[in-house]
Amino acid sequence: MSTYVLVHGAWHSGECWERVVPLLTAAGHRVVAPTLTGYGDTAHLLSPEVGLETHVDDIVGLITEEDLTDVVLVGHSYAGLVISSTANQLPDRISQLVYLDAMVPEHGESAADVMPFAQGMIDQALASESGWRNPPLGGMDPSWGLFGVTDPADVAWLRSMMSDQSVLCLQQPVRLDNPAVSAIPRTHIHCVANVPPGMVRRPVPAIQPNGSPAQVWELETGHDCMVTMPGELTELLLKLG
């Protein structure tokens, strides 16, 4: 039995994994899908001081307090940054890093370094009335939907869980300076349908940091695959557990 820790991306909450959790659990695995500070039912805790480091502390605290080991650590979108810095602190507890249509950083990089598109969001937040709030992105292109979700009922459900993000999440750098992190196997899952204009994914190096060939899978769906293809996503995740 493995333990899956599913970390949601920006503006979402742990609720977005609702269709995946029971499928992994039914296969005999332990599954934890926390909500990061400032999102969902913790939206009242959002402040200018909430940033990437806050969210890394959330996941590091969860893993240590629950004494979780053999963790398949899954990060969606922005949470690719979160799981990277988490693994830097707890490499012995992580069996797999899964970058789910996620930002994949190097040491010292912020969200804007990994995905230059994020600089526009930073600029907008800094220029806004609050000076730090980043509201959820709407459909950048009608064919893309809301984070790749187009079914009206699913869009409504997704909107119901969304909240603002602090700009600090996009500004703070990732820490990946622990050599032990390199030994952790990585898997990349790319959502390849309904990709909006301007979203350019970094190529995955042919060789992982641990020296093994890169493992890259694709899902023919939009960005929020845990909503649109929970069964297919679960099948891929079960290959790692």
Side-chain angles (χ1 to χ4, degrees):
M1 184 182 73
S2 295
T3 297
Y4 288 83
V5 176
L6 310 177
V7 187
H8 65 82
W11 304 294
H12 293 56
S13 76
E15 186 182 357
C16 71
W17 302 103
E18 189 175 280
R19 297 173 180 176
V20 174
V21 171
L23 301 178
L24 290 172
T25 302
H29 300 286
R30 182 176 182 180
V31 188
V32 186
T35 292
L36 300 172
T37 299
Y39 300 110
D41 58 7
T42 69
H44 62 285
L45 299 177
L46 187 65
S47 75
E49 290 72 39
V50 171
L52 173 62
E53 293 179 4
T54 309
H55 297 149
V56 174
D57 288 345
D58 287 340
I59 303 304
V60 169
L62 169 71
I63 292 173
T64 55
E65 290 166 16
E66 297 288 330
D67 195 22
L68 305 180
T69 58
D70 192 28
V71 172
V72 178
L73 187 57
V74 182
H76 178 242
S77 196
Y78 154 75
L81 309 180
V82 179
I83 67 171
S84 296
S85 278
T86 297
N88 194 67
Q89 294 191 43
L90 302 174
D92 293 342
R93 293 177 177 263
I94 312 301
S95 64
Q96 292 270 352
L97 286 171
V98 181
Y99 292 92
L100 178 57
D101 219 35
M103 298 183 185
V104 185
E106 301 290 341
H107 173 63
E109 290 188 323
S110 68
D113 295 315
V114 180
M115 187 172 288
F117 174 83
Q119 186 60 51
M121 294 188 284
I122 292 172
D123 295 341
Q124 288 177 8
L126 296 177
S128 69
E129 183 177 348
S130 70
W132 61 274
R133 280 184 175 269
N134 229 319
L137 290 178
M140 295 174 59
D141 181 305
S143 65
W144 189 51
L146 182 65
F147 298 97
V149 178
T150 57
D151 178 84
D154 286 345
V155 168
W157 176 55
L158 199 53
R159 287 193 185 280
S160 73
M161 73 180 72
M162 289 193 165
S163 52
D164 290 354
Q165 172 178 257
S166 168
V167 70
L168 195 59
C169 298
L170 305 177
Q171 294 173 311
Q172 288 184 323
V174 167
R175 292 198 61 181
L176 270 173
D177 54 359
N178 185 343
V181 175
S182 297
I184 303 174
R186 296 182 176 193
T187 295
H188 304 262
I189 301 176
H190 294 163
C191 300
V192 297
N194 294 334
V195 178
M199 290 290 188
V200 179
R201 181 181 289 115
R202 240 182 207 178
V204 176
I207 302 299
Q208 299 186 58
N210 67 358
S212 300
Q215 183 160 254
V216 182
W217 296 327
E218 293 184 349
L219 287 173
E220 195 66 37
T221 190
H223 186 55
D224 277 7
C225 58
M226 72 288 292
V227 176
T228 57
M229 279 193 171
E232 293 86 345
L233 172 59
T234 299
E235 287 181 14
L236 294 181
L237 295 177
L238 286 174
K239 295 180 180 180
L240 305 173

